[in-house]
């Protein structure tokens, strides 16, 4: 018997990875860096043991100070993520499936390494907060 259903947020309920990749592409374009945005894919599913900045920086702008560059990228992402609108990012049928499981009485939880405000915004904008 199923006792509960756990959902990850990013990459399961919403396609935030594509959104984040677009933010990165915009950052590269707006700052006139001459690199392929795919260089930043090392972040996706990354591990704290991997120093992704040491992989990215030499390919993007080797003359930048690593901490200054990291701060600049992180601030750009932070500002853009604060304006995120989740409904267009929901995977097809996800909201309907969650509502269906909720109606059947399943206990559900959203598990995510994202910040709590981000998770709450997603669940509220998708109008499924009451299901969790």
């Amino acid at each position: 018997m199923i006792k509960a259903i756990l959902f990850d947020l990013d990459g399961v309920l919403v396609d935030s990875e594509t959104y984040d990749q677009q933010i990165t592409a915009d950052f590269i374009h707006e700052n006139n860096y001459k690199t392929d945005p795919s260089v930043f894919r090392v972040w996706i599913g990354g591990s704290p043991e991997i120093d992704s900045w040491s992989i990215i920086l030499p390919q993007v702008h080797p003359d930048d100070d690593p901490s200054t560059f990291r701060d600049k990228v992180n601030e750009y992402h932070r500002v853009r993520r604060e304006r995120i609108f989740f409904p267009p990012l929901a995977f097809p049928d996800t909201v309907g499936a969650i509502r269906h499981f909720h109606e059947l009485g399943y206990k559900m939880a959203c598990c995510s390494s994202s910040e709590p405000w981000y998770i709450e915004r997603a669940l509220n904008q998708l109008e499924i907060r009451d299901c969790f």
Side-chain angles (χ1 to χ4, degrees):
M1 172 183 222
I2 297 173
K3 294 186 179 185
I5 303 172
L6 306 176
F7 292 94
D8 188 10
L9 177 63
D10 298 303
V12 175
L13 298 181
V14 295
D15 187 11
S16 54
E17 291 173 358
T18 300
Y19 181 80
D20 282 341
Q21 289 173 10
Q22 184 59 54
I23 292 172
T24 300
D26 293 346
F27 171 81
I28 289 168
H29 175 75
E30 289 176 23
N31 288 280
N32 297 314
Y33 290 121
K34 307 296 182 218
T35 191
D36 184 333
S38 68
V39 167
F40 287 83
R41 288 194 184 135
V42 69
W43 282 335
I44 298 172
S47 165
E49 292 83 34
I50 298 172
D51 180 11
S52 55
W53 292 106
S54 66
I55 297 168
I56 295 168
L57 188 58
Q59 298 181 60
V60 176
H61 205 270
D63 299 330
D64 276 359
D65 171 62
S67 62
T68 302
F69 179 76
R70 181 185 63 236
D71 292 347
K72 189 175 178 181
V73 172
N74 286 339
E75 178 62 13
Y76 189 89
H77 271 263
R78 183 192 64 75
V79 168
R80 288 284 298 270
R81 284 176 68 96
E82 286 178 353
R83 297 183 297 193
I84 192 169
F85 184 62
F86 286 98
L89 304 177
F91 284 110
D93 302 321
T94 301
V95 170
I98 288 171
R99 289 228 166 271
H100 179 72
F101 292 139
H102 180 68
E103 290 167 6
L104 293 174
Y106 286 103
K107 293 180 182 179
M108 293 182 285
C110 182
C111 308
S112 178
S113 61
S114 293
E115 295 180 67
W117 69 266
Y118 178 87
I119 299 165
E120 288 294 324
R121 178 176 289 168
L123 298 178
N124 286 324
Q125 285 184 0
L126 296 172
E127 299 179 354
I128 55 174
R129 180 67 189 97
D130 62 310
C131 297
F132 293 91

